[in-house]
Amino acid sequence: MAEEVTKILLSAQSVDGSVRKHAEESLKQFQEQNLPGFLVSLSGELVNDEKPVDGRKLAGLILKNTLDAKEQHRKNELAQRWLSLDVTVKNKIKGCLLQTLSSPVPDARSTSSQVIAKIAGIELPLNLWPELISSLLSNINQPKPHVKQATLETLGYICEEVSPEVVDQDQVNQILTAVVQGMNASEGNTDVRLAATRALYNALGFAQVNFTNDMERDYIMRVVCEATQSPELRIRLAAFECLVAISSIYYEKIASYMQDIFEVTAKAVREDEEPVALQAVEFWSSICDEEIDILDEYGGDFSADSGAPCFYFIKQALPALVPMLLETLLKQEEDQDQDEGAWNIAMAGGTCLGLVARTVGDDIVPLVMPFIEENITKPDWRKREAATYAFGSILEGPSPDKVMPIVNVALNFMLTALLTDPNNHVKDTTAWTLGRIFEFLHGSAMEMRIITQENCQQILTVLLQSMKDVPNVAEKACGALYFLAQGFEDVGYSSSPLSPFFQDMIQALLDVTHREDAGESRLRTAAYEALNEVVRCSTDETVPIVMQLVPVIMAELNQTLESQKLSSEERGKQNELQGLLCGCLQVIIQKMGAAEPTKYVFMQFADQIMDLFLRILASWNATVHEEAMLAIGALAYATGSDFVKYMQGFYPYLERGLQNYEEHQVCAITVGVVGDLCRALEDKILPFCDGIMTQLLKDLSSNQLHRSVKPPIFSCFGDIALAIGENFEKYLIFTMPMLLSAAELVAQVAVADDEIMEYTNQLRNGILEAYSGIFQGFKNSPKTQLLLPYAPHILHFLDSLYKEKNMDDVVMKTAIGVLGDLADTLGSNAGPLITQMNNTAGNVIDEEDYVDDLQLVIKLQTMVVQSFSQKRSPEHETTISTKRVFHEGFHATCYAIEPCLLLHKMAQSSDK
């Protein structure tokens, strides 16, 4: 087989399907029967310069795919498989790969670079292949430019694959030296300089120590800025990408370079080709992002030890930056793509202008208004569109008081332009700007009103008329209506200014969904999103119209289910439509099920709707399945215990959703639906609990399921326990050890990056919600003593959370509830447990403990007050903890403070 590899690799790329399939099966058979020989043969193919290039490329690609995968569990499996190979085999493969870096064939070198990096990603963290970096660095001094280029490319890929702590600082210094020297203008070979610049982009995360050294930082920044002036487009582009990364990673280190950076970015924006200009604008967008995050976190109040001061780079650059960005708005293309993914310099400039407005607030308005006033009525459509785009871009950030007077004057002009401007680009941007006005300056929280009884009819007339325009304009008009309706969502069931036009809005949006060109520019999706928002803001007056909408949506959903023999493209469009229709029904169900009178009338449709959902689930599609599951969860909430009649037919799909590891979003949503069912059915869910609990426990034990699904599974245990009460007894032996183990694990998590910290807090909250549901489920049961063995561990977990410096407020609130539930459920047994936990050796509370207890009392009291000061809407009350804290929890939460007060009294009466 090894001798035939060349032929098989070429056949695997044949245009003849049968030849290709046979070759693929042969490769698979070879891999399964003799993996070491298979990998050695591929590496031998890759290194041999006498072999065909196409075969060598495929050999490298297959090698890479034997080492890496998208799914984490598969990635781990492949890494273990590689590590289990004989050392001799691995060394032979690695030797071939390193040798390939000297090949005169660029594709072979590039493929080998990627494979080397994948192996490095597996071995370097385990201190294997320690000679790799030094071996690569020895290539840098070779006279052949292509070897140097391949080596730099490999170093870049390695930096992308491994984390900085894997490489010691001496080697980091050597890598950076090689990379920066390769970038230097004195390097005569363009390919080498490009590879070095791209390698620096990946290596920047390794340069933390180097950026603290003024001399080294100066050298790196000088070389990067020089590279932005290279005559080669690809090098300039890569250099600006490095600047963007530096702005994010080393924001606090670049103050002394900002003048030079402004000059090179301004030159690129005004003179360079669009890919480079886009990256130059992106630099300033990245600076905005950094400063927005800092200002949001610290509120502009920076102390000496805050650790993240804002240097106000955007505010300082404002007089020069804003004119530069406004110039980009005038660089539209006559035939520019209107699709959602389209991107050009004008769009990038407008986006950056919007970020600048969010960063500096009111200061941007006087700098932009003259541009708007000068261009808004010009004959040249580019100037009108640019002025409108500028106006829409600065609406988020400045205070309403600053922009409201301008908006009130401009509104009539905008409405007229949307109907009458002869250019579609201008109308598109005008509709988008109206949407921005309604999004940021309209709503119950605003003191000044943009929408009045007097202008509401005019606004709606224009928007509904614009929905008949070309797809991109109609889509933006739907978006504007979405935000207009959203601003009236808090009106509740009283009258709304939209009520007289409700029927017209519904009909206009339905008409849009039936347009032949509704598939363009996200038009159909925008129409359904707007329709959903209009339904959400319906009032008592308009409920009958919403009720009339139910059979219409049901009929359209039914029609999609009866379509036969569709092409793959048609099937994709049908699935998208089914998802939109399910989403629409979900919103209607939530709205109609929120009040008893409407719920009673709506129930006449429940059987038919559920039948449609089951038919949707029978024809498998992940996106549609998600929407159908969410809608079923809403139906369960609305129908309550009556939903039990659907469970027999629905359960197989519920189980299938819980088993769907591959499409983990479906699994996560299905877990949420289990919670909805528990709240709806309560103990009527008991007959299905064995199957549900078995699958949930399998999910938690699986390394194939995405980690994001696991916190809601823990929370789901609490939902089930609360629903079935003491019947949860038979599951305690399985769930409690898992919860205790997970609690111990998250209690030990060290301070990590934001993503890890966020996930850790999600896990903590899921565990706490499980404990909460279990305690509440067993409350007033004679079986509460079953929980006593676990209580010390739970109290220890709560104590570890209290000591956690990076505690999430949501977790803290849930923890308070759990402490209250524990005290409430265990009654007199709780006091000794809590006292024992807080006492020191000898049962004497020392002074330090006393202070800690006082702080805990104060902290708990503060959190309880905060909990009750926040208002939650009914549709958000989906978890046990929030439902308890905001509706039933005052009694239980007081119990949470009572043990601490008891400790306080004990401390006062102690010797100290």
Side-chain angles (χ1 to χ4, degrees):
M1 177 69 78
E3 296 174 0
E4 301 175 3
V5 166
T6 302
K7 181 181 176 182
I8 296 172
L9 287 169
L10 294 175
S11 297
Q13 301 172 75
S14 171
V15 293
D16 187 325
S18 60
V19 173
R20 189 171 62 249
K21 184 176 180 182
H22 179 71
E24 289 170 352
E25 289 173 352
S26 298
L27 288 169
K28 183 179 180 182
Q29 185 179 19
F30 186 12
Q31 181 176 356
E32 291 172 350
Q33 292 178 352
N34 183 6
L35 179 64
F38 177 70
L39 297 178
V40 169
S41 295
L42 291 175
S43 62
E45 197 76 14
L46 183 59
V47 74
N48 193 335
D49 285 332
E50 295 180 1
K51 297 289 185 177
V53 175
D54 288 343
R56 297 173 73 185
K57 282 176 61 179
L58 182 57
L61 179 62
I62 295 171
L63 259 178
K64 189 175 76 167
N65 289 340
T66 64
L67 297 163
D68 193 29
K70 290 181 180 178
E71 300 82 9
Q72 189 59 46
H73 73 278
R74 180 62 181 156
K75 191 183 182 86
N76 295 339
E77 289 173 3
L78 294 176
Q80 289 304 315
R81 189 175 72 173
W82 168 262
L83 292 170
S84 67
L85 290 173
D86 184 80
V87 174
T88 306
V89 171
K90 288 188 287 188
N91 287 341
K92 189 170 185 179
I93 294 167
K94 291 189 281 191
C96 288
L97 291 169
L98 289 171
Q99 188 179 336
T100 308
L101 296 181
S102 302
S103 170
V105 180
D107 285 338
R109 296 198 305 269
S110 182
T111 306
S112 184
S113 293
Q114 295 173 54
V115 181
I116 290 170
K118 293 299 179 186
I119 297 174
I122 297 171
E123 295 201 349
L124 291 185
L126 301 173
N127 293 319
L128 303 175
W129 209 0
E131 71 278 10
L132 172 62
I133 302 296
S134 56
S135 175
L136 289 170
L137 289 169
S138 68
N139 286 346
I140 294 294
N141 298 319
Q142 288 202 17
K144 294 180 180 178
H146 71 268
V147 178
K148 192 172 182 180
Q149 178 268 332
T151 302
L152 288 166
E153 186 175 355
T154 306
L155 288 169
Y157 285 137
I158 290 171
C159 291
E160 190 176 20
E161 284 294 325
V162 304
S163 58
E165 59 268 17
V166 167
V167 184
D168 66 55
Q169 189 58 44
D170 285 343
Q171 288 191 324
V172 169
N173 294 340
Q174 292 172 39
I175 290 171
L176 287 172
T177 298
V179 166
V180 176
Q181 284 179 352
M183 288 178 65
N184 211 301
S186 60
E187 172 57 58
N189 186 282
T190 298
D191 290 337
V192 170
R193 199 174 180 200
L194 176 62
T197 309
R198 288 175 174 170
L200 178 64
Y201 178 85
N202 290 326
L204 282 169
F206 290 70
Q208 298 285 347
V209 172
N210 309 84
F211 261 76
T212 61
N213 182 297
D214 292 351
M215 189 181 301
E216 292 182 34
R217 185 177 65 249
D218 287 346
Y219 182 50
I220 293 171
M221 292 301 296
R222 179 178 63 77
V223 170
V224 172
C225 287
E226 282 179 359
T228 65
Q229 307 304 302
S230 166
E232 170 61 42
L233 169 67
R234 294 175 300 164
I235 294 175
R236 296 199 304 276
L237 179 60
F240 274 111
E241 288 172 346
C242 287
L243 276 181
V244 173
I246 289 168
S247 71
S248 176
I249 302 171
Y250 301 111
Y251 167 85
E252 72 283 359
K253 300 291 185 184
I254 60 175
S256 59
Y257 314 106
M258 288 304 288
Q259 184 60 46
D260 291 336
I261 292 174
F262 181 83
E263 289 174 7
V264 298
T265 53
K267 181 183 177 185
V269 169
R270 292 184 169 119
E271 301 174 13
D272 215 325
E273 296 183 51
E274 185 167 83
V276 179
L278 287 171
Q279 284 301 312
V281 174
E282 182 62 24
F283 171 84
W284 292 102
S285 293
S286 178
I287 293 291
C288 287
D289 287 334
E290 291 299 313
E291 296 195 346
I292 288 168
D293 287 346
I294 294 169
L295 293 169
D296 283 348
E297 184 172 354
Y298 293 92
D301 181 21
F302 302 114
S303 58
D305 59 349
S306 66
C310 182
F311 288 94
Y312 297 102
F313 294 137
I314 298 298
K315 195 167 188 175
Q316 293 175 47
L318 212 54
L321 179 61
V322 170
M324 179 186 80
L325 294 174
L326 291 174
E327 285 178 36
T328 67
L329 304 188
L330 294 164
K331 296 182 179 180
Q332 314 96 319
E333 302 157 15
E334 184 73 52
D335 56 347
Q336 61 190 12
D337 193 351
Q338 297 290 346
D339 288 343
E340 188 181 9
W343 194 245
N344 56 41
I345 189 64
M347 293 175 179
T351 301
C352 187
L353 190 67
L355 289 169
V356 170
R358 288 176 56 195
T359 308
V360 303
D362 291 353
D363 291 349
I364 198 170
V365 177
L367 293 172
V368 174
M369 283 312 298
F371 177 85
I372 297 171
E373 292 165 354
E374 180 184 348
N375 292 289
I376 196 71
T377 58
K378 287 290 177 68
D380 184 349
W381 73 266
R382 285 182 173 80
K383 294 184 177 180
R384 297 198 306 278
E385 196 269 344
T388 308
Y389 194 12
F391 186 50
S393 297
I394 65 168
L395 291 174
E396 183 186 12
S399 61
D401 291 346
K402 188 75 173 178
V403 292
M404 277 284 202
I406 305 168
V407 168
N408 282 323
V409 172
L411 189 58
N412 280 336
F413 182 88
M414 293 277 172
L415 293 170
T416 303
L418 182 54
L419 280 184
T420 63
D421 198 285
N423 185 274
N424 281 335
H425 295 304
V426 177
K427 287 198 285 187
D428 178 286
T429 304
T430 301
W432 171 80
T433 299
L434 285 168
R436 299 267 295 178
I437 290 171
F438 301 147
E439 180 180 4
F440 299 115
L441 300 171
H442 160 57
S444 58
M446 294 291 168
E447 292 182 10
M448 297 175 63
R449 293 282 184 264
I450 289 177
I451 314 300
T452 63
Q453 294 286 356
E454 291 72 29
N455 65 14
C456 191
Q457 182 172 4
Q458 181 194 6
I459 292 169
L460 284 169
T461 300
V462 171
L463 292 181
L464 300 189
Q465 181 63 33
S466 296
M467 289 179 197
K468 300 174 184 177
D469 212 318
V470 294
N472 60 290
V473 176
E475 183 248 322
K476 302 297 191 307
C478 289
L481 180 58
Y482 172 94
F483 289 116
L484 178 66
Q486 189 177 68
F488 290 112
E489 202 174 315
D490 293 338
V491 171
Y493 284 89
S494 60
S495 179
S496 162
L498 298 183
S499 295
F501 316 102
F502 205 82
Q503 181 71 63
D504 293 338
M505 289 189 293
I506 296 285
Q507 190 57 55
L509 290 165
L510 289 174
D511 289 345
V512 170
T513 67
H514 297 143
R515 284 175 52 156
E516 290 185 6
D517 57 1
E520 299 177 28
S521 295
R522 282 190 76 254
L523 179 54
R524 181 179 286 112
T525 301
Y528 275 111
E529 288 173 350
L531 181 62
N532 293 346
E533 201 56 46
V534 168
V535 169
R536 287 191 188 97
C537 77
S538 60
T539 64
D540 288 338
E541 299 174 72
T542 52
V543 159
I545 302 173
V546 176
M547 205 62 75
Q548 292 167 20
L549 184 60
V550 178
V552 173
I553 302 298
M554 287 170 55
E556 296 200 5
L557 187 54
N558 182 65
Q559 189 176 345
T560 67
L561 290 165
E562 294 178 351
S563 303
Q564 301 294 327
K565 296 181 180 179
L566 300 174
S567 66
S568 58
E569 183 180 352
E570 290 170 333
R571 177 70 62 185
K573 291 179 180 178
Q574 183 200 59
N575 289 335
E576 182 185 5
L577 178 56
Q578 287 175 342
L580 292 169
L581 291 166
C582 286
C584 187
L585 282 174
Q586 178 196 352
V587 172
I588 294 172
I589 292 166
Q590 288 172 330
K591 186 68 181 182
M592 296 296 97
E596 285 302 319
T598 53
K599 177 176 166 182
Y600 177 78
V601 179
F602 169 76
M603 289 305 293
Q604 64 181 301
F605 298 109
D607 290 353
Q608 296 166 272
I609 290 175
M610 190 63 192
D611 180 62
L612 285 169
F613 290 154
L614 292 178
R615 289 169 64 193
I616 287 285
L617 294 176
S619 55
W620 179 258
N621 176 272
T623 303
V624 184
H625 195 151
E626 286 182 43
E627 294 295 338
M629 276 290 181
L630 288 168
I632 288 170
L635 186 64
Y637 187 86
T639 56
S641 60
D642 289 341
F643 190 86
V644 72
K645 64 182 177 180
Y646 307 125
M647 281 300 295
Q648 209 63 45
F650 174 55
Y651 181 77
Y653 302 111
L654 185 76
E655 191 172 53
R656 186 171 72 176
L658 294 175
Q659 294 168 350
N660 192 348
Y661 296 165
E662 189 174 341
E663 289 145 341
H664 67 270
Q665 297 93 337
V666 174
C667 188
I669 286 170
T670 308
V671 171
V673 171
V674 172
D676 294 331
L677 294 173
C678 290
R679 285 181 284 280
L681 300 179
E682 297 182 332
D683 59 356
K684 289 183 180 179
I685 199 171
L686 189 56
F688 306 95
C689 282
D690 282 357
I692 291 171
M693 285 297 300
T694 299
Q695 191 54 53
L696 290 176
L697 290 165
K698 283 182 182 177
D699 290 351
L700 280 178
S701 303
S702 171
N703 62 357
Q704 297 180 32
L705 183 61
H706 195 273
R707 70 179 190 180
S708 64
V709 187
K710 298 190 176 183
I713 290 176
F714 285 130
S715 179
C716 195
F717 288 161
D719 293 327
I720 294 169
L722 189 58
I724 65 175
E726 64 181 29
N727 291 303
F728 195 79
E729 173 190 354
K730 63 178 176 178
Y731 307 123
L732 282 177
I733 193 172
F734 306 107
T735 57
M736 286 309 246
M738 267 192 172
L739 287 166
L740 296 174
S741 175
E744 186 176 343
L745 188 66
V746 297
Q748 296 171 354
V749 171
V751 176
D753 60 50
D754 290 344
E755 185 180 347
I756 296 296
M757 203 69 244
E758 182 182 1
Y759 177 68
T760 300
N761 281 324
Q762 288 171 356
L763 269 177
R764 288 167 173 163
N765 206 56
I767 294 165
L768 289 168
E769 289 186 338
Y771 286 147
S772 178
I774 290 168
F775 277 121
Q776 287 190 70
F778 277 83
K779 183 182 175 182
N780 299 325
S781 164
K783 297 181 179 180
T784 52
Q785 73 275 6
L786 294 172
L787 303 179
L788 283 173
Y790 307 109
H793 301 283
I794 295 169
L795 286 168
H796 180 74
F797 178 49
L798 293 173
D799 185 58
S800 71
L801 294 181
Y802 166 60
K803 293 173 180 175
E804 173 61 57
K805 293 180 180 178
N806 298 310
M807 180 48 52
D808 181 272
D809 281 355
V810 174
V811 175
M812 181 58 76
K813 291 175 185 177
T814 314
I816 293 169
V818 171
L819 186 56
D821 292 330
L822 184 148
D824 201 14
T825 300
L826 299 184
S828 59
N829 291 313
L833 287 168
I834 297 172
T835 303
Q836 181 182 358
M837 168 137 187
N838 282 275
N839 282 355
T840 56
N843 294 321
V844 177
I845 299 178
D846 67 19
E847 190 170 356
E848 192 173 322
D849 290 327
Y850 171 65
V851 172
D852 283 345
D853 292 330
L854 282 176
Q855 290 172 344
L856 178 57
V857 172
I858 294 166
K859 191 165 189 175
L860 285 170
Q861 288 173 328
T862 303
M863 294 304 299
V864 171
V865 171
Q866 288 177 347
S867 297
F868 285 101
S869 68
Q870 294 187 11
K871 295 181 180 179
R872 303 280 295 213
S873 55
E875 59 267 26
H876 292 152
E877 292 156 10
T878 54
T879 63
I880 291 169
S881 62
T882 54
K883 192 170 184 179
R884 180 191 64 254
V885 169
F886 296 101
H887 288 276
E888 304 163 0
F890 187 73
H891 182 65
T893 312
C894 285
Y895 269 104
I897 296 180
E898 189 172 345
C900 303
L901 295 174
L902 176 63
L903 290 169
H904 183 190
K905 290 176 183 176
M906 289 174 63
Q908 285 179 317
S909 62
S910 69
D911 292 340
K912 295 191 177 183

